[in-house]
Amino acid sequence: MSAPILDRWLAAVMATPGLTALREPEAARRVLLDDALLGVDIVGREHGPIADVGSGGGAPGIPLAASLPERTVTLLEAERRKCEFLERWTDELPNLRVVWGRAEEQPLETYGVAVAKALAEPPVAAEWCLPLVGEGGLVVLWVGESVEPDRVARVAERIGGALVEAPEGLLAIRKIAHTPAGFPRRTGVAKKRPLA
Ligand SMILES: C[S@@+](CC[C@H](N)C(=O)[O-])C[C@H]1O[C@@H](n2cnc3c(N)ncnc32)[C@H](O)[C@@H]1O
């Protein structure tokens, strides 16, 4: 019998050049898998399709897709080569989709939840993710210890979001109003001139 899918996925991430700098299997399991699973409850309580923005090798999207099989999970990734790796898991996880593209260039207000881990600095990740979710939806950012809730809260206020309670290591932003005109800003602008 083959190993469970998440074990095989983790081994494949480690064996594929360019997907993770982690070399120790235990560290990789903690960072890529256990950390991703911290989001299952908060994401699972929400409704609608889920986007993992800047999915890289598939964290947290692949563990979320395996844990929430009734929810569609789209892995959005800017690098074509990484998308080819992500596509390998769609046969076994029928709720998984892969989109090659940048967050700033996607259709607006399409998802119920957008998640991101190590996508960019949290204020930038918030600016990229909030336009992707519909009103009432949720953005969940994996921020670990480098949490900057005040800056993220200021960004959220500018673009229709409000910080809400989340488990330790995560920041959650509720989308309380439509994305204002002028957002998302052109590719590259959020990083060059962060809103906060
Ligand atoms: C540091 S990796 C993190 C990957 C994964 N989330 C993880 O935690 O292991 C950041 C990923 O985001 C992608 N990325 C960066 N900017 C992006 C954007 N604007 N839209 C979509 N993907 C982006 C990069 O190509 C890269 O694969």
Side-chain angles (χ1 to χ4, degrees):
M1 209 174 79
S2 68
I5 181 166
L6 291 178
D7 290 340
R8 281 182 285 116
W9 163 71
L10 201 53
V13 172
M14 290 201 68
T16 306
L19 291 183
T20 180
L22 297 165
R23 288 289 152 254
E24 289 299 318
E26 272 181 29
R29 177 169 288 272
R30 195 175 61 248
V31 171
L32 298 171
L33 180 53
D34 297 346
D35 273 5
L37 295 174
L38 294 177
V40 170
D41 285 349
I42 187 168
V43 172
R45 283 196 294 272
E46 299 293 315
H47 300 285
I50 299 163
D52 175 16
V53 184
S55 191
I62 286 181
L64 290 175
S67 306
L68 301 168
E70 72 291 356
R71 304 283 293 281
T72 301
V73 178
T74 297
L75 309 178
L76 173 62
E77 170 51 51
E79 282 188 30
R80 176 71 179 268
R81 197 181 48 81
K82 292 179 181 173
C83 289
E84 284 164 8
F85 172 84
L86 297 172
E87 288 282 0
R88 283 167 48 186
W89 308 96
T90 56
D91 281 352
E92 280 182 88
L93 294 171
N95 57 329
L96 197 66
R97 312 266 180 281
V98 179
V99 171
W100 173 35
R102 296 193 60 88
E104 312 89 298
E105 296 165 2
Q106 301 307 305
L108 301 187
E109 307 197 346
T110 304
Y111 299 96
V113 187
V115 301
K117 182 168 184 282
L119 167 64
E121 267 212 298
V124 174
E127 182 176 341
W128 283 344
C129 289
L130 257 175
L132 299 176
V133 301
E135 213 176 325
L138 194 72
V139 169
V140 181
L141 304 179
W142 271 247
V143 290
E145 287 163 9
S146 68
V147 61
E148 297 176 282
D150 296 345
R151 278 180 72 201
V152 174
R154 290 205 296 279
V155 171
E157 277 165 25
R158 291 278 305 274
I159 53 173
L163 220 52
V164 292
E165 215 170 300
E168 205 180 327
L170 306 180
L171 277 185
I173 308 164
R174 179 69 65 195
K175 175 105 169 207
I176 54 174
H178 284 300
T179 304
F183 290 95
R185 296 187 287 171
R186 267 182 302 110
T187 297
V189 177
K191 264 193 171 171
K192 248 186 256 157
R193 289 190 274 117
L195 290 174

